[in-house]
């Protein structure tokens, strides 16, 4: 890791993604998972990445860690972490970044936990991977991390299967935070949890984020979670960002027909008798995307132009970007 | 006055486990009116699915009565139950796991019609299958495809068509939209609502999604460790949640709005094991208001307002 990255002096942004394209070449088909997405995350800021199954959210997260398997993955575009282009780094330099500068929490805690090791040992291992400290010291720090996520340190001698789902997820969070990363990528971190436990875990993530002044990418399909912990939001549809802005832009000045459709699909908590307004149809096939606007086959407002030409993201005021032929500034 | 289709009285379901008896469902009593929906919510493992399966007698109750239009189906013989079962169907969370992968969409929907010998002519059966596909919004061209070739929303439509093939009166919907994307969820929820309207169906709707259950149900039962701890109309429950667990549960819903954020109640403490339960309120270990009484006795469900029942000792807890 270069000095510049450690100090992060080069940029006010912790993360900058420019024109990221990811394809997966499987058999004779090409899955167009990401089609030119760009986004920026300031230091200490949380961005919500919202989209449905297959939109490309996890692919975005893995790209930031340079963990897209190749083959089948083909990645193009620029990703800067703390100002440094990760495309130019060696694999060895990348290893030093993973877990240290950038950490990722996966949806299923068991993908990150080893069933044959005690939770304390697993956290200590991550710490020793990046910090040159002794075993004892690492074990003590692992205990601190457990306490920080609300698990008594004496339970560190237990194995993952002895923990409930919420506790396992908290261990994974402790592991992800053990080296105080600058950027935390949380991929649906609470989807598998009960609401009351989800509330606990989200509360904790929010507190820790503040305490460490981390930047965070919250991957989720739950607009409620977005409202609670994000500063900015990118709505992703079929591998493209279709709307991008602050919380207020997305929630109170909703502009893209897809985002409007997402909100319409949610039950109205103030009036339970109000009928849902679902989006018709299904996500397009990522191996055969529509040539115009990716949303055009499902869009209630689509015109001939929408089927012919893919709309670019355009600024419609402040930092609110929308990719739709019918939504214009003002 | 609406008429009850289903009355469940003091039903229990215990499972034998190496560590002792597991009280999956422990003395639940509720009823569902014809054409209405009872929502059942509560955290993972609280006994929602087990309640649904026992009510359909897919599992034998350990004790209790299950009255379907006044008749106790817990007492029916195997044979009697077989014909009764046509009236009582189930829709599952994971349609793929509940559908035979070697059968085509047409065969899957046709199967119950064949097994129960409802329609013996092959041509008539096919006609009925196509009709059912239309009702649930599945295009005819999927007749000969396999479920794994379809997306989750369409698979769920197969599950619904299959359940409808028997002209049921009552359907247990066990997390029918939990595995689906938001936009597809809304499509399926609207479909279930329309079917209820058109066919006068009665639903038991199991979910952990509180905003969905609020929208979809006339009444809601909140379960905790095998017990119903609060039961009220959907509007009443959300307006006046009274059990401390219900209060915490509702406060934990992430609301997709920026205005009027509510104060969250964060629960601490360990969940009590459903095996070898102490003689105490099952929620006491996590309750913010628990008193000595709560650790020494178990509260019964009591009516605190017309149609609103709560199992909690606390009388003067905050609103
Ligand atoms: N290793 C892979 N090989 C082939 N295709 C892949 C691979 N990983 C992802 N894809 C495809 O790329 C697209 C984007 O997938 P991704 O996992 O990023 O979506 P997602 O937004 O995270 O979805 P979900 O909400 O289901 O997690 C999908 O069409 C997916 O099937
Ligand atoms: N066949 C069985 N043998 C032993 N225990 C069982 C069996 N089926 C369920 N249980 C237990 O009964 C309890 C209730 O389970 P149930 O599946 O009804 O919960 P649930 O509320 O549907 O949970 P979820 O939201 O996770 O689906 C749990 O403790 C479960 O482990
Ligand atoms: S560009 Fe056209 S099709 Fe796309 S969202 Fe806008 S109106 Fe709909
Ligand atoms: Mg994903
Ligand atoms: Mg269940």
């Amino acid at each position: 890791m270069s000095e510049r990255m450690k100090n992060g002096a080069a940029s006010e942004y912790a993360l900058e993604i420019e024109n990221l394209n990811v394809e997966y070449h499987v058999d004779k088909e090409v899955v167009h998972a990401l089609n030119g997405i760009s986004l920026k995350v300031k230091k200490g800021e949380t961005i919500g990445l919202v989209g449905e199954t297959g939109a490309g959210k996890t692919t975005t997260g893995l790209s930031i860690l340079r963990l897209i398997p190749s083959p089948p993955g083909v990645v193009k575009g620029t990703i800067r972490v703390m100002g440094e282009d990760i495309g130019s780094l060696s694999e060895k330099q990348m290893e030093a970044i993973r877990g240290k500068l950038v950490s990722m929490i996966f949806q299923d805690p068991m993908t990150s936990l080893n069933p044959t090791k005690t939770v304390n040992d697993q956290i200590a291992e991550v710490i020793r991977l990046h910090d040159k400290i002794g075993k004892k010291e690492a074990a003590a720090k692992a205990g601190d991390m457990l306490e920080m996520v609300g698990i008594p340190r004496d339970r560190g001698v237990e194995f993952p299967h002895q923990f409930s789902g919420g506790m396992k997820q908290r261990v994974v969070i402790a592991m992800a935070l053990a080296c105080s990363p600058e950027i935390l990528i949380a991929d649906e971190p609470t989807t598998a949890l009960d609401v009351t436990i989800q509330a606990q875990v989200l509360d904790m993530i929010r507190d820790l984020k503040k305490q460490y002044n981390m930047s965070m990418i919250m991957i989720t399909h739950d607009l409620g979670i977005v409202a609670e912990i994000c500063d900015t939001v990118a709505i992703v549809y079929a591998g493209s960002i279709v709307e991008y802005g602050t919380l207020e832009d997305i929630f109170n000045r909703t502009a893209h027909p897809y985002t409007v459709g997402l909100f319409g699909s949610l039950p109205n908590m103030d009036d339970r008798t109000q009928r849902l307004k679902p989006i018709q149809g299904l996500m397009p096939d990522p191996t055969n995307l529509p040539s115009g606007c990716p949303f055009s086959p499902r869009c209630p407002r689509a015109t001939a132009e929408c089927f012919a030409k893919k709309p670019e993201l355009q600024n419609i005021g402040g930092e609110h970007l929308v990719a739709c032929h019918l939504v214009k500034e003002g | 006055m609406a008429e009850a289709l289903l009355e469940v009285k003091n039903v229990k379901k215990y499972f034998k486990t190496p560590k002792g008896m597991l009280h999956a469902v422990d003395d639940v009593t509720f009823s569902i009116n014809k054409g209405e929906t009872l929502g059942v919510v509560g955290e993972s493992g609280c006994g929602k699915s087990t309640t649904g399966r026992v009510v359909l007698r897919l599992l034998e109750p350990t004790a209790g009565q299950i009255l379907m239009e006044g008749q106790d189906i817990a007492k029916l013989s195997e044979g009697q139950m077989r014909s009764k079962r046509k009236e009582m169907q189930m829709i599952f969370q994971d349609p793929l796991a509940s559908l035979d992968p070697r059968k085509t969409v047409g065969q899957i929907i046709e199967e119950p019609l064949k097994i129960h010998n409802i329609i013996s002519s092959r041509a008539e059966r096919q006609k009925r299958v196509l009709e059912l596909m239309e009702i649930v919004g599945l295009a005819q061209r999927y007749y000969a495809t396999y479920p794994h070739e379809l997306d989750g929303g369409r698979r769920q439509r197969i599950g619904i068509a299959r359940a409808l093939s028997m002209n049921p009166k009552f359907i247990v919907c066990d997390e029918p939209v939990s595995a689906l994307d938001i936009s597809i969820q809304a499509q399926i929820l609207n479909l279930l609502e329309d079917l209820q309207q058109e066919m006068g169906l009665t639903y038991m709707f199991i979910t952990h999604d509180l905003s969905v259950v609020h929208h979809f149900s006339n009444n809601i039962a909140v379960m905790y460790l095998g017990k119903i701890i609060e039961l009220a109309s959907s509007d009443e429950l959300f307006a006046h949640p009274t059990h401390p667990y219900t209060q915490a549960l509702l406060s934990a819903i992430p609301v997709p709005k920026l205005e009027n954020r509510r104060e969250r109640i964060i629960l601490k403490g360990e969940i009590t094991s459903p095996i070898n339960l102490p003689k105490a309120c099952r929620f006491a270990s996590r309750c913010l208001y628990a008193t000595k009484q709560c650790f020494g006795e178990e509260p019964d469900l009591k009516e605190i307002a017309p149609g609103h029942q709560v199992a909690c000792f606390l009388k003067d807890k905050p609103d």
Side-chain angles (χ1 to χ4, degrees):
Chain A
M1 193 181 330
S2 72
E3 273 314 303
R4 199 160 66 128
M5 259 173 132
K6 258 186 221 155
N7 306 331
S11 170
E12 64 171 307
Y13 294 104
L15 175 72
E16 295 157 276
I17 297 180
E18 268 169 40
N19 203 19
L20 180 63
N21 281 276
V22 178
E23 292 172 354
Y24 295 103
H25 293 245
V26 209
D27 299 332
K28 276 180 194 113
E29 289 184 325
V30 179
V31 176
H32 298 273
L34 288 177
N35 306 297
I37 69 158
S38 299
L39 54 86
K40 288 177 176 181
V41 188
K42 288 196 182 120
K43 288 175 188 151
E45 193 176 72
T46 299
I47 186 171
L49 222 51
V50 180
E52 300 182 77
T53 305
K57 306 178 298 293
T58 300
T59 299
T60 307
L62 293 176
S63 302
I64 300 167
L65 288 166
R66 247 178 60 188
L67 282 179
I68 301 285
S70 171
V74 178
V75 182
K76 288 193 198 108
T78 311
I79 297 177
R80 278 189 291 274
V81 171
M82 306 307 283
E84 181 126 11
D85 184 351
I86 62 164
S88 62
L89 300 180
S90 68
E91 181 51 30
K92 196 147 184 228
Q93 287 171 308
M94 246 354 263
E95 268 166 27
I97 288 177
R98 288 183 203 122
K100 177 78 186 163
L101 272 188
V102 188
S103 276
M104 185 153 170
I105 302 172
F106 294 92
Q107 174 170 350
D108 175 5
M110 283 321 286
T111 56
S112 324
L113 292 175
N114 181 338
T116 65
K117 284 186 179 152
T118 70
V119 299
N120 212 69
D121 283 355
Q122 296 189 49
I123 301 171
E125 229 165 70
V126 176
I127 297 172
R128 272 167 55 85
L129 208 62
H130 294 290
D131 297 342
K132 301 264 163 299
I133 57 173
K135 274 198 174 146
K136 262 209 180 117
E137 208 181 327
K141 188 161 178 219
D144 295 344
M145 294 308 294
L146 278 180
E147 275 185 350
M148 191 184 65
V149 297
I151 297 172
R153 64 192 311 137
D154 57 3
R155 295 204 60 179
V157 296
E158 293 180 26
F159 293 90
H161 71 88
Q162 292 169 283
F163 283 14
S164 69
M167 285 169 80
K168 278 185 217 140
Q169 195 56 290
R170 279 185 274 167
V171 171
V172 170
I173 293 171
M175 258 162 85
L177 298 182
C179 296
S180 342
E182 298 284 342
I183 302 172
L184 179 67
I185 304 167
D187 193 356
E188 310 253 9
T190 57
T191 307
L193 306 177
D194 283 316
V195 251
T196 55
I197 311 294
Q198 164 172 292
Q200 267 178 22
V201 171
L202 287 178
D203 244 48
M204 194 189 76
I205 291 181
R206 197 174 18 207
D207 286 351
L208 294 173
K209 207 207 92 179
K210 227 188 255 155
Q211 191 180 324
Y212 286 83
N213 192 34
M214 263 183 319
S215 306
M216 185 158 88
I217 299 167
M218 174 55 91
I219 296 176
T220 179
H221 58 263
D222 188 332
L223 288 161
I225 293 178
V226 171
E228 289 193 7
I229 56 177
C230 297
D231 303 305
T232 61
V233 188
I235 307 282
V236 189
Y237 188 78
S240 296
I241 293 179
V242 295
E243 185 161 7
Y244 187 40
T246 61
L247 266 193
E248 286 74 20
D249 290 336
I250 301 296
F251 282 79
N252 297 343
R253 292 183 286 277
T254 318
H256 195 281
Y258 174 62
T259 319
V260 172
L262 279 184
F263 280 107
S265 299
L266 299 176
N268 182 344
M269 294 293 275
D270 300 324
D271 177 9
R272 66 172 214 90
T273 60
Q274 196 181 88
R275 191 167 166 86
L276 305 177
K277 297 184 280 293
I279 304 170
Q280 298 309 318
L282 302 169
M283 278 277 229
D285 173 359
T287 62
N288 182 21
L289 290 174
S291 49
C293 168
F295 190 54
S296 56
R298 302 174 76 184
C299 182
R301 297 173 62 191
T303 62
E305 188 187 14
C306 307
F307 292 103
K309 198 171 128 227
K310 183 173 174 180
E312 298 289 325
L313 273 177
Q314 279 188 47
N315 196 324
I316 64 159
E319 291 172 58
H320 190 178
L321 307 180
V322 181
C324 170
H325 291 304
L326 301 188
V327 180
K328 300 266 141 68
E329 187 167 0
Chain B
M1 189 60 199
E3 202 185 324
L5 180 88
L6 182 80
E7 288 169 274
V8 170
K9 294 185 178 164
N10 307 104
V11 161
K12 295 182 183 175
K13 179 67 193 176
Y14 294 174
F15 292 107
K16 231 186 229 131
T17 73
K19 290 184 187 166
M21 274 297 180
L22 187 149
H23 297 217
V25 177
D26 211 355
D27 200 357
V28 300
T29 297
F30 60 85
S31 69
I32 315 180
N33 288 336
K34 278 199 176 117
E36 292 192 355
T37 300
L38 174 76
V40 179
V41 295
E43 62 197 24
S44 184
C46 71
K48 305 181 294 295
S49 297
T50 305
T51 304
R53 303 182 79 93
V54 167
V55 162
L56 297 180
R57 249 188 91 188
L58 296 171
L59 286 172
E60 289 301 321
T62 305
Q65 290 179 298
I66 303 157
L67 304 176
M68 178 74 180
E69 294 178 304
Q71 181 185 31
D72 188 354
I73 65 158
K75 292 211 175 72
L76 296 183
S77 69
E78 255 331 270
Q80 289 168 315
M81 196 55 221
R82 262 188 74 148
S83 71
K84 198 76 194 166
R85 193 153 285 144
K86 291 179 222 157
E87 297 174 6
M88 312 173 78
Q89 293 289 317
M90 186 147 180
I91 301 170
F92 300 90
Q93 164 170 7
D94 181 0
L96 198 55
S98 61
L99 302 173
D100 185 341
R102 291 158 307 179
K103 295 209 164 87
T104 64
V105 171
Q107 287 167 335
I108 290 168
I109 302 173
E110 183 188 27
E111 193 177 52
L113 295 170
K114 227 164 138 179
I115 292 177
H116 292 279
N117 211 1
I118 311 242
I119 304 174
S120 45
S121 135
R122 215 168 147 189
E124 284 294 306
R125 266 203 315 264
Q126 180 175 13
K127 208 175 122 214
R128 174 72 176 143
V129 169
L130 290 172
E131 190 181 283
L132 286 162
M133 287 177 67
E134 186 175 343
I135 292 173
V136 301
L138 271 175
Q140 286 200 6
R141 71 187 129 98
Y142 297 118
Y143 185 82
T145 53
Y146 291 89
H148 66 87
E149 299 174 87
L150 301 177
D151 61 282
R154 291 212 176 87
R155 283 185 214 137
Q156 195 51 283
R157 289 177 199 270
I158 303 172
I160 296 170
R162 192 179 146 98
L164 291 178
S165 66
M166 303 275 87
N167 284 319
K169 294 177 178 164
F170 174 64
I171 303 181
V172 172
C173 310
D174 193 353
E175 308 263 12
V177 297
S178 305
L180 306 176
D181 272 327
I182 309 167
S183 69
I184 310 298
Q185 261 188 27
Q187 292 175 5
I188 299 292
L189 289 171
N190 278 356
L191 171 65
L192 289 172
E193 245 168 42
D194 292 344
L195 293 173
Q196 180 166 49
Q197 285 288 318
E198 286 155 24
M199 306 182 174
L201 293 170
T202 305
Y203 292 139
M204 177 167 159
F205 191 88
I206 298 170
T207 180
H208 61 265
D209 186 327
L210 291 149
S211 56
V212 166
V213 85
H214 173 244
H215 169 76
F216 203 79
S217 317
N218 301 89
N219 293 302
I220 297 175
V222 184
M223 289 187 73
Y224 192 83
L225 278 176
K227 288 260 181 204
I228 292 177
I229 50 108
E230 187 156 5
L231 181 64
S233 75
S234 193
D235 288 326
E236 167 74 6
L237 190 86
F238 275 73
H240 306 289
T242 304
H243 194 285
Y245 175 67
T246 312
Q247 291 182 347
L249 193 65
L250 299 193
S251 83
I253 309 173
V255 184
K257 275 187 182 177
L258 301 187
E259 310 81 42
N260 47 46
R261 306 235 58 104
R262 278 168 305 168
E263 202 44 49
R264 273 230 186 101
I265 304 167
I266 299 288
L267 292 177
K268 302 229 160 59
E270 297 265 332
I271 300 168
T272 309
S273 159
I275 304 170
N276 303 324
L277 285 154
K279 202 175 144 22
C281 170
R282 293 170 191 208
F283 185 59
S285 63
R286 296 167 82 195
C287 184
L288 296 171
Y289 312 107
T291 61
K292 236 175 125 184
Q293 185 184 19
C294 309
F295 285 99
E297 274 178 70
E298 182 149 29
D300 290 325
L301 259 188
K302 288 216 171 73
E303 188 152 78
I304 57 157
H308 189 166
Q309 302 178 328
V310 183
C312 173
F313 292 118
L314 215 60
K315 306 229 159 34
D316 47 84
K317 85 181 99 342
D319 239 347

